[in-house]
Amino acid sequence: MKVKIINCLEDNFSYILIDEKSLDACVVDPGEAQPILKYIEKNKINLKYILNTHHHHDHIGGNNILKSKFGAKILAFKDDKERIPKIDFFLDDKQIWKDGPFEFKVIHVPGHTSGHICFSFFNEKIIFTGDTLFSLGCGRIFEGSYNDMFNSLSKLKKLSPETKIYFGHEYTLNNSIFCDKFDKNNSELKIKIANIKKKLDKGMPTVPSTLKEELDCNIFLRAKNLKEFSKLRDLKDNF
Ligand code: ZN
Ligand code: FE
């Protein structure tokens, strides 16, 4: 399985997963159609599914065009029925969904939005975390409580440490400044920041990260309890 990173809009990441044998593909969070269309047509792949982590426009903006052009089916959380148009398959928490080479588990992670899900491709040890877990950060809490977000991140912490994390936005540099400020003596973090800067200097994305790196370096995953997490989230909102 190949994961192609597609830059969308200002700083969004969309991802095309391609089965290299059949050239069948899924797209995760197409924020806009154009860059996805371009890649699909150039590489002659068959877009079968559109996977949405949550209903925000910067994650679903390309849905309609991709659906009508390729007949791709939309997969999203069942409770987002009213706010993601034209869903074909309603997903539930912990559901395992499989079609041919594509097999993933749904992890419901309320907090950023109430219907946010992550797609865990457990065979490949790849997860798409949308706006819940970023590299060195986590999503703003718009529709849930601190407790919701804290519990959602705790679910992700249980995955195998070598899991590759594909997140929804290139916020990593700004996140790293925050982590560095409030976690001064973390030597793993310093190594991670040096690597991030190297990538960005070369014009490369900072995606993917790994769960191990995030467990070591992401201050929101390192928070020991709800109180500490909530305080950090407040600080970050005003950072
Ligand atoms: Zn969002
Ligand atoms: Fe977003």
Side-chain angles (χ1 to χ4, degrees), residues 12 54 58-59 131 169:
N12 276 78
H54 65 296
D58 60 314
H59 298 256
D131 287 359
H169 289 266

Side-chain angles (χ1 to χ4, degrees), residues 33-205:
Q34 214 44 47
I36 317 275
L37 275 174
K38 209 172 123 193
Y39 185 87
I40 290 173
E41 285 170 351
K42 189 167 171 224
N43 295 278
K44 309 221 168 356
I45 57 177
N46 323 307
L47 186 68
K48 300 195 73 175
Y49 299 107
I50 298 166
L51 277 47
N52 294 134
T53 59
H54 65 296
H55 73 283
H56 286 159
H57 192 74
D58 60 314
H59 298 256
I60 68 168
N63 275 18
N64 283 345
I65 292 176
L66 295 171
K67 179 170 174 145
S68 57
K69 197 152 169 95
F70 302 108
K73 306 277 189 239
I74 299 174
L75 282 70
F77 192 57
K78 60 179 180 25
D79 294 352
D80 275 342
K81 194 165 23 181
E82 306 299 325
R83 40 190 204 177
I84 298 179
K86 298 178 189 161
I87 299 176
D88 295 283
F89 294 103
F90 297 102
L91 302 174
D92 206 348
D93 187 27
K94 302 189 181 108
Q95 178 181 349
I96 290 178
W97 194 89
K98 180 172 163 62
D99 180 43
F102 305 112
E103 184 174 19
F104 62 80
K105 184 175 180 181
V106 178
I107 305 177
H108 182 217
V109 285
H112 180 69
T113 69
S114 58
H116 198 303
I117 54 174
C118 295
F119 297 96
S120 170
F121 284 74
F122 47 86
N123 296 315
E124 289 86 6
K125 295 204 166 89
I126 286 174
I127 188 166
F128 298 92
T129 57
D131 287 359
T132 293
L133 177 62
F134 298 122
S135 183
L136 303 184
C138 74
R140 275 178 192 263
I141 299 167
F142 286 128
E143 293 180 357
S145 61
Y146 294 105
N147 195 37
D148 287 334
M149 188 55 126
F150 185 70
N151 287 337
S152 292
L153 293 174
S154 303
K155 289 185 189 177
L156 302 180
K157 284 165 82 167
K158 289 189 199 119
L159 296 167
S160 115
E162 65 265 39
T163 305
K164 288 198 177 82
I165 317 273
Y166 287 86
F167 42 90
H169 289 266
E170 182 59 275
Y171 291 159
T172 311
L173 185 64
N174 183 52
N175 288 344
S176 77
I177 298 167
F178 181 82
C179 285
D180 194 41
K181 182 168 177 184
F182 294 98
D183 193 7
K184 278 207 160 45
N185 300 315
N186 184 339
S187 56
E188 296 294 325
L189 175 62
K190 300 210 186 313
I191 296 168
K192 172 100 175 150
I193 292 176
N195 286 332
I196 286 164
K197 287 188 173 156
K198 245 186 249 163
K199 281 189 184 168
L200 292 173
D201 283 347
K202 285 191 221 155
M204 288 163 64

Side-chain angles (χ1 to χ4, degrees), residues 20-35:
E20 284 164 296
K21 248 196 207 157
S22 60
L23 294 186
D24 286 347
C26 302
V27 63
V28 180
D29 284 357
E32 57 179 336
Q34 214 44 47

